[in-house]
Amino acid sequence: MLKIKFTATYDGTAYYGWQRQNTKETVQGTIEKFLYKIFQKEILTIGSGRTDRGVHAKRQICTTTLPKKVNLVKLQNSLNSLLPDDISISEMAIAHPDFHPCYSATGKIYRYHISTKKILNPFERHHHFHYPYALDIKLIKEAIPLFIGTKDFSAFANQVGKNCKTPNPVKTIFSITVTEDSGGFSLTFHGSGFLYKMVRNITGALISYGSKRIPFEKLKAILESKNNIHNLFQAPAHGLCLEDVEYSSCGN
């Protein structure tokens, strides 16, 4: 038996999220389908976390256990030749026996892309949330410190326990960075981990504040309530991308 670690990169537009489902096309299910074709037996994978329907990933870290030793370069090439064009395996290596793509993670980085152009570029439609309305970026930057640090983010999670780690609503956000360009901006979230739909809910709240639909006092009260009963605007899935997953030096 051989435990390997690999990195999956994918455009999530055509998939019902990462996690395998019996009747719907998912990224994990697609990878496992072609692993079966190669090995002629079921090969299960584990990812660093779930991404929802329509969410993308540059570096989804995964592991699997193979029934025999193989040439990993040949395996990677074979798998990539079978996978559809919107999924690729960019890295593959032998994993440490104790490595787990989710439990060994020390941090994750997500980026949310927002287009503020009057007319959306068709090539961006699957990767940017189009918001062509009045939006004050200065207000968004003003509100960001409210979310930095170790806090109970229950109010910004659809389901607190729906992730691969212990269902603990207390997470640490190290930073949220705003990057502006001529067509809009992106929000980069760097944290210890994120609850189910937490990034999309915080993004939606920041957009609501930046468009002056809710006051700062309400934004603060929602966070402090620790209760997701506020019917927040949730930013749509297709603007979100899992950029990277971080591990300690021994987590290889």
Side-chain angles (χ1 to χ4, degrees):
M1 304 292 281
L2 180 68
K3 184 176 183 178
I4 66 166
K5 170 185 174 183
F6 64 94
T7 302
T9 300
Y10 51 87
D11 181 319
T13 303
Y15 301 95
Y16 283 80
W18 160 261
Q19 189 174 20
R20 74 179 73 85
Q21 299 184 42
N22 291 331
T23 59
K24 294 178 179 178
E25 194 81 2
T26 68
V27 179
Q28 184 181 38
T30 300
I31 293 171
E32 291 177 351
K33 176 175 68 176
F34 290 111
L35 283 171
Y36 181 90
K37 187 170 184 177
I38 292 170
F39 290 97
Q40 291 299 298
K41 66 180 298 182
E42 185 178 59
I43 306 291
L44 298 180
T45 63
I46 301 173
S48 63
R50 305 173 182 179
T51 53
D52 294 331
R53 179 182 180 181
V55 174
H56 318 289
K58 288 185 178 178
R59 288 181 53 80
Q60 169 74 281
I61 308 302
C62 316
T63 58
T64 190
T65 301
L66 302 179
K68 59 183 180 180
K69 290 186 177 181
V70 296
N71 183 310
L72 295 185
V73 173
K74 290 183 178 179
L75 174 60
Q76 182 180 355
N77 290 339
S78 296
L79 192 52
N80 280 328
S81 70
L82 294 170
L83 286 167
D85 292 341
D86 50 10
I87 304 174
S88 67
I89 306 304
S90 57
E91 299 170 323
M92 186 173 283
I94 296 173
H96 188 281
D98 297 330
F99 175 77
H100 191 287
C102 182
Y103 297 117
S104 300
T106 59
K108 289 186 177 182
I109 300 173
Y110 283 91
R111 181 169 294 162
Y112 196 94
H113 298 271
I114 301 159
S115 172
T116 57
K117 302 173 187 175
K118 184 178 180 180
I119 300 173
L120 180 67
N121 183 331
F123 292 103
E124 296 178 344
R125 71 191 188 282
H126 294 311
H127 302 92
H128 290 70
F129 169 45
H130 189 210
Y131 194 85
Y133 311 107
L135 190 61
D136 190 335
I137 302 296
K138 290 182 180 178
L139 285 179
I140 289 177
K141 292 179 179 179
E142 174 187 294
I144 281 174
L146 181 65
F147 298 96
I148 305 302
T150 302
K151 304 174 187 290
D152 185 325
F153 286 99
S154 296
F156 292 90
N158 281 37
Q159 296 178 38
V160 170
K162 191 173 181 179
N163 60 18
C164 67
K165 292 188 175 183
T166 304
N168 183 357
V170 177
K171 302 296 179 185
T172 301
I173 294 183
F174 306 126
S175 65
I176 302 174
T177 305
V178 179
T179 303
E180 298 181 64
D181 58 41
S182 59
F185 66 100
S186 64
L187 297 170
T188 302
F189 292 77
H190 182 199
S192 61
F194 296 91
L195 301 170
Y196 182 53
K197 297 190 178 179
M198 175 177 156
V199 172
R200 290 168 58 192
N201 283 324
I202 293 177
T203 298
L206 289 171
I207 290 173
S208 295
Y209 180 65
S211 57
K212 301 181 181 179
R213 288 190 286 158
I214 60 173
F216 184 82
E217 292 74 20
K218 182 175 181 180
L219 198 61
K220 184 178 180 182
I222 290 171
L223 177 63
E224 293 175 348
S225 74
K226 303 176 184 178
N227 198 332
N228 187 10
I229 59 172
H230 307 282
N231 296 317
L232 289 168
F233 166 62
Q234 184 181 100
H238 64 273
L240 184 61
C241 181
L242 172 60
E243 294 282 314
D244 204 358
V245 186
E246 299 175 320
Y247 299 93
S248 63
S249 58
C250 60
N252 296 319

